[in-house]
Amino acid sequence: AARRIVAQAVALGGRSTPGELAGRLAVAQPAVVVASGAARELLELLHGKENVLDADDPPEPAGDPGIPRAAADGGRLGAGASLLFTSGTTGSPKAALRTRGDRRLSDAIARGFRLGPSSRFLVGGPLYHSGPWTCALMTLSLGGTVVLLPRFDERSWLDSAVEHRCDSGFLTPTQLARLVSFARARPGPRPPLSHVVVSGEPFPDRLKRAALDVFGEGFVECYGCTELGPMCALPAEEFLARPGSCGRPFDGVRIAAFRGARRLPAGEAGTLRALTPLAFDGYVSGPGQTPAGRDGDWGSVGDVGFVDEEGYVHLAGRDDDLIITGGVNVFPSDVEEVLAGHPDVEACAVFGLPDPRWGEVVAAAVRSGRRLELAEVRDWLRGRIADDRRPRRLFLVDELPVTGTGKLARRVLRERAAREPVAG
């Protein structure tokens, strides 16, 4: 409704603390807030009862609602400004502001995601995450249908996708892994998936193969971020032919690897930077604060990877996840790709821990149906991965922790490592 009256909508995040909500309200300065349940009661205290609408109010009586029930508004695709909250400490939100869109690039993104007037898009993640938010607004602008879930869990996602005949959606790889595991264990109908966007963190090849096996070619990998928007895509029919890649840049986007100020040649890994008309203007922290534009700047959020000779982008991980052990650089995703092939490993995550001798050591958190031993895991990895990349510490977990947006929370694993029992 906000889009159809050309009003700017901002997602605040229903799980935010009171301090975070107060900070976000101070930045966004909304004329009205729509909320439900306990969040509505809190927002009434923070923003004034007269300025908060209850999302659970019954609908208006049958009749002309005043706004077309289903009308495509392609002119809104890629138009206008956006304000997305990426993270932030209590009372000091981190808000990414984009003051302009780009219709041509937005058209290319919609085509790459295969969104259109017949799309039925399932939102199972928080709308303050740029992925579900962007794709849902694209779907609405093109005249498609959006189905909302209050939060992600694999059973509800699958049941809702079947019930509402959803063919599209947005998932992080961590969420998709849970969905694949659940669907394998539960026989029954499958939704008609044809273009579910998978993004937010590295999408390992083993998971791609598993998703194809369970659901078919109903996925599109996307590499992007809140600050730079969607940048490239890889359709499922190319998953097996392009191992390790997250696709080629959309028309209008350039991506390259850099080391310092030097642009690296094809195949050489470094910090990935992008030149895109959808780059955000900057972070804002208060009303009326508009940072200078960034036209012509190569932007980066700290991802590491390379671009091959055919222009396909390969993502290794984030530079702050990099483990440097004995002078050797180890990316967690490389170890996870191999470790996940162990017959008794149901899920795993690799991270670095401080060590007085090596600087850092490789550690692995593993979910398994039996008690694995460190020596057993290291022996199984021998010959499958270089010795300096084999984990030196192993932690058994019931579940891998995730962030509010459904991504793997490595920081939480590192913090828990000191008190988790060590296997082996």
Side-chain angles (χ1 to χ4, degrees), residues 269-309:
T271 300
L272 292 175
R273 298 180 183 173
L275 197 60
T276 170
L278 290 183
F280 78 139
D281 294 77
Y283 297 113
V284 296
S285 57
Q289 181 179 348
T290 303
R294 296 181 54 179
D295 290 328
D297 289 349
W298 285 86
S300 175
V301 291
D303 293 322
V304 176
F306 66 92
V307 182
D308 67 24
E309 293 182 351

Side-chain angles (χ1 to χ4, degrees), residues 341-381:
H342 189 289
D344 292 314
V345 171
E346 298 171 358
C348 65
V350 171
F351 54 99
L353 288 177
D355 183 81
R357 179 180 180 184
W358 302 102
E360 284 185 295
V361 292
V362 178
V366 170
R367 190 184 75 208
S368 176
R370 69 179 184 84
R371 182 170 182 82
L372 289 172
E373 303 293 334
L374 175 64
E376 174 188 353
V377 170
R378 284 179 56 83
D379 186 62
W380 185 87
L381 287 170

Side-chain angles (χ1 to χ4, degrees), residues 29-51:
Q29 292 287 291
V32 65
V33 176
V34 182
S36 63
R40 176 183 58 79
E41 297 173 4
L42 174 59
L43 284 160
E44 286 178 350
L45 292 174
L46 295 172
H47 199 55
K49 190 170 184 178
E50 69 279 6
N51 298 321

Side-chain angles (χ1 to χ4, degrees), residues 104-196:
R104 181 180 174 184
L105 177 52
S106 296
D107 282 337
I109 294 169
R111 289 194 304 271
F113 291 170
R114 300 174 182 177
L115 297 173
S118 63
S119 296
R120 301 181 66 84
F121 189 89
L122 178 59
V123 177
L127 282 173
Y128 63 81
H129 183 216
S130 61
W133 179 257
T134 299
C135 292
L137 290 182
M138 278 189 168
T139 302
L140 290 175
S141 296
L142 296 167
T145 299
V146 171
V147 177
L148 290 170
L149 290 176
R151 63 186 58 83
F152 174 83
D153 74 75
E154 45 270 48
R155 180 185 299 275
S156 297
W157 198 98
L158 189 59
D159 288 345
S160 296
V162 171
E163 178 185 356
H164 298 288
R165 307 184 310 283
C166 293
D167 54 14
S168 54
F170 182 96
L171 294 167
T172 66
T174 297
Q175 291 172 331
L176 178 58
R178 290 172 55 183
L179 189 63
V180 166
S181 178
F182 177 79
R184 276 177 166 168
R186 191 186 80 165
R190 295 280 187 268
L193 302 181
S194 59
H195 46 283
V196 173

Side-chain angles (χ1 to χ4, degrees), residues 1-53:
R3 297 280 286 187
R4 287 173 181 165
I5 62 173
V6 200
Q8 182 61 43
V10 178
L12 294 175
R15 297 183 181 180
S16 302
T17 67
E20 288 170 339
L21 278 176
R24 295 179 185 203
L25 289 168
V27 172
Q29 292 287 291
V32 65
V33 176
V34 182
S36 63
R40 176 183 58 79
E41 297 173 4
L42 174 59
L43 284 160
E44 286 178 350
L45 292 174
L46 295 172
H47 199 55
K49 190 170 184 178
E50 69 279 6
N51 298 321
V52 179
L53 298 180

